[in-house]
Amino acid sequence: MLLTVVPSRRIPKNSPFSLANIPFGIISSAKDTSRVAAIAIGDYALNLGIFASSGGFAQLPVIQPHLSVFSQPTLNAFAALGRPVHRQVRQYIQNIFSADTPFPQILKDNASLQKEALWPLSEVTNHVPMQIGDYTDFYAGLNHAYNVGVLFRGPENALQPNYKHLPVAYHSRASSVVASGTPIHRPNGQILANPTANPKIPTFSPCRKLDMELELAAFVSKPNELGRPVSINDAEDHIFGLVLMNDWSARDIQAWEYIPLGPFNAKNFATTITPWVVLLDALEPFRTTGLEPGDRDSLLPYLREKRAANVYDIPLEVEITNAGGKPTLVTKSNAKNLLYSFPQMLAHHTITGCNMNPGDLLGSGTISGTEPGSQGSLLEQTNGKNPLKLADGSDRMFLEDGDTIILRGKAGTEGNYVGFGDCAGTILPAIQLDF
């Protein structure tokens, strides 16, 4: 029966999808191409559409009026039910799969659940889990902001005067957010091939300085009305969960275009996220203090959190594999390297009365440490001058065609990991354009 396929003791010890996790996503398969909600557990995905229609939630009254949310092609409707419902659904599924389940008859007496609801992850197609209406990328990685500031302005002026007073951000492009595994074409655009030339005349070219950025991102669940900000004390209940995110960046296109209004084409061509949304309740055991306490006196009151432990201790890493080569671990960082929390980002985003909707995405900004090899972008690691050495002996200043980049992150201990799975993308050549 189903319970004997994935009891807690048979989940691989190194799986990011332990019983302590239960992340939510949207899946389909070659046999059933319709998109449906699911959770990941070990090497399997539990199809929640089948689970719900076959009586799997029979012992959870709170979800009974809302079973249709699990047959939707996105998680927006489920997310909009709110954190108390998410919590009960997650805990119920944990109980179902526990070795001493209080609901043995749910699985024992239901042939449909035993045969149809559990799909091997190897046979699953993952999709972007939510319909994203808006996507805002913050710049909350203090070490990254400082490192990049030093490169362009020197150490004396590395951080702008506003940086430690508010979460800096820009609006990016929701339509080009893709799920892990989606290939990424190198973008074309305007670049300044010779920055010292006078006059400065750009050329049109494929990006020559393609970079990655190691980030976390949060999905909004609970909306707020236009004109009514989200209080810092309530902000966490407006967040559905977190994913890993690679904010692909065309550094040479960015260098030419970003003055005076910031990134545009350098960031809008693709953003990759993990397809499984890890709920905040799953991350609760890993709360820790970020780079500075969340209630520091320099913040205005609307950004002051009641507790200093406002971020998460999640080890993060980045791996690069060139075409036909061996993987090289190039970055080891941690999610606690953030100056601002997601509740602070949301509170600041809405302080003007900006209304957020279920599915809106908030990126953290690049998460870099201070030690060598802990930087979340190649720009920082190489300083544009000192190339990385990959395992096959080749050098990388920036990404080359054929390179595959994988971001990973998981917290906890063996057998009880809470993680996101791979955030992967392979670089394809730029599309040739005829003018």
Side-chain angles (χ1 to χ4, degrees), residues 138-140 167 232 303 338 340-350 362-365:
F138 284 84
Y139 199 48
I232 187 65
L303 287 173
L338 289 173
Y340 297 101
S341 69
F342 283 109
Q344 287 174 312
M345 296 177 211
L346 184 59
H348 181 65
H349 202 319
T350 65
L362 307 178
S364 66

Side-chain angles (χ1 to χ4, degrees), residues 165-204:
H165 293 275
L166 58 85
V168 177
Y170 70 96
H171 277 82
S172 196
R173 186 71 187 174
S175 62
S176 54
V177 177
V178 297
S180 174
T182 305
I184 306 300
H185 277 284
R186 180 179 298 275
N188 291 293
Q190 289 192 26
I191 66 172
L192 196 62
N194 183 4
T196 63
N198 192 15
K200 299 186 185 302
I201 305 297
T203 60
F204 187 83

Side-chain angles (χ1 to χ4, degrees), residues 394-409:
S394 62
D395 293 334
R396 286 294 181 281
M397 195 78 74
F398 291 99
L399 299 174
E400 297 184 2
D401 294 348
D403 286 348
T404 296
I405 297 83
I406 301 178
L407 280 54
R408 297 189 178 97

Side-chain angles (χ1 to χ4, degrees), residues 142-321:
L142 171 61
N143 298 320
H144 171 74
Y146 178 79
N147 293 339
V148 174
V150 169
L151 284 175
F152 293 105
R153 294 183 296 275
E156 297 298 325
N157 300 298
L159 297 177
Q160 300 288 1
N162 65 350
Y163 188 79
K164 291 191 175 182
H165 293 275
L166 58 85
V168 177
Y170 70 96
H171 277 82
S172 196
R173 186 71 187 174
S175 62
S176 54
V177 177
V178 297
S180 174
T182 305
I184 306 300
H185 277 284
R186 180 179 298 275
N188 291 293
Q190 289 192 26
I191 66 172
L192 196 62
N194 183 4
T196 63
N198 192 15
K200 299 186 185 302
I201 305 297
T203 60
F204 187 83
S205 166
C207 168
R208 302 173 188 177
K209 297 181 179 180
L210 184 58
D211 204 354
M212 55 84 184
E213 289 189 345
L214 170 63
E215 302 193 26
L216 284 174
F219 276 111
V220 171
S221 58
K222 187 178 178 181
N224 63 295
E225 293 181 21
L226 180 66
R228 295 186 177 273
V230 175
S231 163
I232 187 65
N233 297 323
D234 298 332
E236 198 166 272
D237 286 336
H238 287 251
I239 296 173
F240 180 44
L242 305 187
V243 293
L244 271 180
M245 186 174 87
N246 186 345
D247 180 30
W248 303 97
S249 301
R251 299 299 184 192
D252 44 2
I253 296 174
Q254 182 177 359
W256 174 242
E257 75 176 3
Y258 84 103
I259 297 173
L261 294 181
F264 180 39
N265 285 338
K267 298 277 192 175
N268 71 2
F269 60 96
T271 302
T272 301
I273 63 172
T274 45
W276 297 106
V277 183
V278 177
L279 301 189
L280 296 191
D281 282 353
L283 295 169
E284 188 66 24
F286 312 108
R287 276 188 174 274
T288 190
T289 302
L291 297 181
E292 294 187 27
D295 60 350
R296 61 189 185 276
D297 292 337
S298 62
L299 287 179
L300 292 174
Y302 77 92
L303 287 173
R304 295 178 190 169
E305 294 178 280
K306 290 182 178 179
R307 51 183 172 181
N310 62 348
V311 296
Y312 303 102
D313 183 358
I314 308 172
L316 306 170
E317 64 182 38
V318 179
E319 177 184 280
I320 298 178
T321 304

Side-chain angles (χ1 to χ4, degrees), residues 356-403:
M356 308 294 288
N357 294 305
D360 285 351
L361 187 66
L362 307 178
S364 66
T366 306
I367 304 174
S368 296
T370 56
E371 300 298 321
S374 66
Q375 294 79 19
S377 69
L378 296 184
L379 176 65
E380 295 170 84
Q381 291 214 27
T382 67
N383 290 323
K385 301 176 182 178
N386 307 304
L388 293 176
K389 185 74 69 175
L390 299 190
D392 67 347
S394 62
D395 293 334
R396 286 294 181 281
M397 195 78 74
F398 291 99
L399 299 174
E400 297 184 2
D401 294 348
D403 286 348

